[in-house]
Amino acid sequence: MDKVTCLAYILYQSSKNQIVKDKAIELLNGDVTLNELKKSLQPYFSQAEFQMNKNQYDKNSVQEFAEKFMLLEV
């Protein structure tokens, strides 16, 4: 899994805040950049990066998250 997908998954799963969940989906779909997200959601983003660097996530769950929320345009 790539960094962006992992961060989006961790952000989505780690928060009950709907704004954070929406931003995680936007990150997954490329609607917001990592830098923009880092500025607007600093505490959430820092925690997500820490969890990602420690490999504290299930890769199968990340894949299921991406399949569920990634929008494909044709």
Side-chain angles (χ1 to χ4, degrees):
M1 290 290 134
D2 66 303
K3 179 180 179 178
V4 173
T5 304
C6 291
L7 283 171
Y9 167 76
I10 294 168
L11 280 169
Y12 187 87
Q13 293 300 322
S14 66
S15 180
K16 294 178 183 175
N17 185 333
Q18 189 59 43
I19 294 170
V20 174
K21 289 181 180 271
D22 291 342
K23 289 292 184 182
I25 294 170
E26 288 178 19
L27 177 64
L28 178 68
N29 289 302
D31 297 333
V32 66
T33 66
L34 285 175
N35 288 335
E36 292 170 340
L37 196 63
K38 187 181 274 190
K39 289 177 186 174
S40 64
L41 300 174
Q42 178 58 39
Y44 299 102
F45 192 83
S46 295
Q47 183 63 29
E49 276 188 315
F50 176 78
Q51 288 180 353
M52 186 187 74
N53 290 334
K54 294 291 183 183
N55 290 324
Q56 296 178 344
Y57 58 91
D58 177 39
K59 292 178 179 160
N60 290 328
S61 297
V62 174
Q63 183 176 350
E64 290 172 9
F65 167 77
E67 289 173 358
K68 182 175 180 181
F69 291 107
M70 188 174 285
L71 300 176
L72 298 176
E73 296 183 25
V74 291

